[in-house]
């Protein structure tokens, strides 16, 4: 039992440390780009919000799970549990929304240069900041009921229908509320995944058509390397495919935790591990495809028209 808890704690610790380092490295990368005068892309503001949300997801779930797995069960008060769960739920939903927004924005960015898309391409960057703020505000409001069903370990009662996370309890609501909550989760995820799949299919089609067009051009310096837009699109396609896979698994586990009475420790830990996988992996996916490396990106003077933070 002690060995199993130690292994579980080490796994959560590795995920938390690697995810935190990755997301802070990505934020540091954008700070470097800002102070050295590199021009920002329209999608960069979305990625910053995504990175902040991912940091909150990892810290609000990974740190408590690690601490509980290593033997500290009563380190959070009732208020602390409510706050941690609320932050985790809000940041998870913001991460989902901004990932969807990122795929749609990139699809608009690489859309064909014709009059039908020109107006949308010109207006879309102006609304990115407002959409990000709206995403945070909506999720702060929609998850306002989450703390009601969360209690600390010290505030234990005789309720049999609850989920023990090791450091806090989540009291399951009634049957009707359970069914409604699970239905809303699936509807929201299906809606976002549908938008992501549409945007991804559009980007794949656009890249394929562009590749077919440049096959007629025989100059080596054009065909030998991909454009920055193409590399950014590949990055977002990998990110979206990773998100869809892990989000589907996470939704299944989360629904099981909501419906089942007193779920097992294995189910609780696996659900937490899957939920933290995308925030931990996403910064490495984004950085691996970013062509704006320090030695190349800032040889010129600062572009004063570049959007700031």
């Amino acid at each position: 039992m002690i060995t199993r808890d130690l292994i579980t704690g080490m796994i959560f610790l590795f995920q938390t440390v690697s995810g935190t380092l990755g997301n802070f490295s990505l934020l540091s990368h954008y700070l470097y780009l800002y102070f050295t005068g590199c021009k920002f892309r329209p999608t960069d503001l979305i990625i910053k919000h995504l990175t902040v949300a991912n940091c909150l997801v990892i810290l609000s779930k990974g740190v408590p799970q690690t601490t509980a797995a290593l033997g500290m069960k009563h380190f959070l008060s009732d208020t602390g549990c409510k706050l941690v769960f609320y932050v985790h739920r809000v940041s998870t939903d913001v991460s989902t929304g901004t990932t969807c927004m990122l795929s749609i924005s990139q699809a608009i960015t690489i859309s064909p240069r014709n009059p039908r898309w020109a107006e949308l391409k010109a207006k879309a960057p102006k609304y990115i900041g407002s959409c990000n703020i709206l995403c945070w505000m909506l999720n702060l409001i929609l998850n306002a009921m989450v703390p009601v069903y969360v209690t600390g370990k010290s505030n234990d009662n005789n309720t049999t229908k609850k989920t023990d996370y090791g450091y806090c309890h989540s009291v399951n609501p009634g049957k009707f509320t359970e069914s409604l909550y699970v239905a809303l989760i699936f509807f929201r995820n299906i809606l976002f995944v549908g938008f992501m799949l549409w945007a991804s299919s559009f980007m794949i089609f656009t890249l394929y058509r562009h590749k077919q067009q440049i096959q007629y051009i025989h100059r080596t310096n054009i065909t030998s390397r991909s454009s920055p837009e193409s590399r950014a699109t590949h990055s977002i396609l990998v990110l979206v495919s990773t998100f869809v896979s892990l989000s589907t698994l996470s939704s299944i586990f989360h629904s099981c935790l909501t419906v089942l009475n007193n779920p097992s420790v294995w189910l609780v830990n696996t659900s937490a591990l899957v939920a933290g996988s995308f925030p931990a992996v996403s910064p490495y996916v984004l950085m691996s495809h970013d062509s704006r490396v320090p030695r190349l990106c800032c040889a010129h003077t600062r572009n004063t028209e570049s959007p700031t933070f």
Side-chain angles (χ1 to χ4, degrees):
M1 183 68 68
I2 297 177
T3 304
R4 187 185 66 181
D5 291 341
L6 181 60
I7 293 174
T8 303
M10 290 297 102
I11 293 174
F12 278 115
L13 180 62
F14 174 76
Q15 184 187 69
T16 302
V17 172
S18 61
T20 303
L21 288 176
N23 282 285
F24 276 102
S25 296
L26 185 58
L27 288 176
S28 300
H29 173 67
Y30 279 111
L31 283 174
Y32 176 84
L33 295 179
Y34 173 74
F35 286 115
T36 51
C38 288
K39 184 177 180 180
F40 284 101
R41 301 170 183 146
T43 55
D44 285 340
L45 181 59
I46 304 176
I47 295 176
K48 295 170 196 171
H49 282 266
L50 174 63
T51 305
V52 172
N54 286 341
C55 284
L56 291 176
V57 172
I58 293 172
L59 294 176
S60 62
K61 177 61 73 171
V63 173
Q65 288 287 162
T66 302
T67 307
L70 294 178
M72 296 181 62
K73 304 288 186 179
H74 301 274
F75 61 94
L76 282 177
S77 63
D78 187 64
T79 303
C81 283
K82 293 179 184 296
L83 179 61
V84 164
F85 270 73
Y86 180 65
V87 170
H88 178 260
R89 192 69 258 164
V90 170
S91 54
T92 299
D93 291 348
V94 170
S95 178
T96 302
T98 49
T99 303
C100 180
M101 198 186 311
L102 182 64
S103 60
I104 295 174
S105 178
Q106 186 63 23
I108 295 173
T109 299
I110 68 168
S111 59
R113 295 181 180 180
N114 55 47
R116 185 173 58 182
W117 287 95
E119 185 177 358
L120 181 60
K121 292 176 73 171
K123 290 183 177 180
K126 301 177 183 178
Y127 297 101
I128 287 178
S130 301
C131 289
N132 280 308
I133 294 174
L134 181 63
C135 183
W136 282 98
M137 295 301 298
L138 284 176
N139 285 296
L140 285 169
I141 296 171
L142 293 176
N143 289 287
M145 292 300 294
V146 170
V148 175
Y149 300 103
V150 178
T151 61
K153 297 282 285 186
S154 58
N155 191 23
D156 198 5
N157 50 41
N158 295 324
T159 304
T160 57
K161 202 171 185 183
K162 62 185 179 183
T163 302
D164 187 358
Y165 289 93
Y167 53 95
C168 294
H169 285 151
S170 175
V171 180
N172 293 347
K175 199 70 177 178
F176 174 76
T177 308
E178 282 181 5
S179 302
L180 180 62
Y181 182 66
V182 171
L184 288 174
I185 289 176
F186 273 103
F187 175 76
R188 183 201 64 192
N189 288 345
I190 290 173
L191 183 65
F192 280 126
V193 168
F195 279 124
M196 291 183 207
L197 292 177
W198 170 82
S200 299
S201 301
F202 178 82
M203 287 187 283
I204 291 172
F205 173 75
T206 302
L207 289 177
Y208 175 77
R209 188 171 61 178
H210 178 68
K211 183 179 179 180
Q212 293 295 106
Q213 291 173 349
I214 66 173
Q215 282 181 349
Y216 296 99
I217 303 174
H218 300 287
R219 291 175 57 186
T220 306
N221 63 338
I222 295 180
T223 58
S224 61
R225 66 175 194 149
S226 59
S227 65
E229 291 81 5
S230 178
R231 286 192 292 272
T233 303
H234 288 151
S235 171
I236 293 172
L237 287 173
V238 174
L239 190 73
V240 168
S241 62
T242 303
F243 174 84
V244 171
S245 302
L246 294 175
S247 177
T248 302
L249 281 175
S250 181
S251 297
I252 294 172
F253 281 114
H254 189 64
S255 299
C256 291
L257 291 178
T258 303
V259 174
L260 295 177
N261 297 334
N262 298 321
S264 64
V265 176
W266 177 87
L267 183 61
V268 172
N269 289 335
T270 304
S271 176
L273 191 64
V274 173
S277 296
F278 176 75
V281 170
S282 60
Y284 297 102
V285 173
L286 292 168
M287 286 189 294
S288 65
H289 290 80
D290 198 332
S291 60
R292 295 167 297 180
V293 294
R295 67 178 182 274
L296 294 177
C297 87
C298 300
H300 303 288
T301 57
R302 179 175 182 144
N303 186 349
T304 58
E305 297 179 358
S306 299
T308 59
F309 284 101

